[in-house]
């Protein structure tokens, strides 16, 4: 990352501003979806996965950390 940043700053400002702008645009588009995905993954809920596979689940099944590692 440091090498990339130093190479951007060593070149002309037009190219550097374009690269920083492209990186900002990428983060603006994918940032909210990454945040939503992170929040959903923190719930560790396997109910929708089991539902999608045809299993009937009456309650939300929570996974603890040792079971998730297994």
């Amino acid at each position: 990352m440091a090498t990339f940043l130093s190479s951007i700053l060593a070149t002309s400002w037009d190219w550097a501003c374009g690269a920083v702008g492209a990186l900002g645009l990428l983060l603006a588009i994918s940032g909210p979806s990454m945040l939503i995905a992170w929040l959903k993954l923190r719930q560790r809920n396997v109910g929708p996965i089991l539902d999608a596979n045809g299993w009937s689940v009456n309650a939300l099944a929570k996974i603890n950390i040792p079971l998730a590692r297994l």
Side-chain angles (χ1 to χ4, degrees), residues 10-50:
T11 59
S12 68
W13 282 104
D14 293 336
W15 188 82
C17 291
V20 171
L23 184 63
L25 182 64
L26 181 70
L27 286 175
I29 292 171
S30 63
S33 61
M34 287 191 306
L35 178 68
I36 291 170
W38 179 76
L39 290 173
K40 287 187 176 189
L41 286 174
R42 290 293 300 159
Q43 293 177 357
R44 291 192 179 111
N45 185 3
V46 295
I49 296 171
L50 293 176

Side-chain angles (χ1 to χ4, degrees), residues 2-18:
T3 304
F4 177 71
L5 207 63
S6 65
S7 67
I8 287 176
L9 295 177
T11 59
S12 68
W13 282 104
D14 293 336
W15 188 82
C17 291

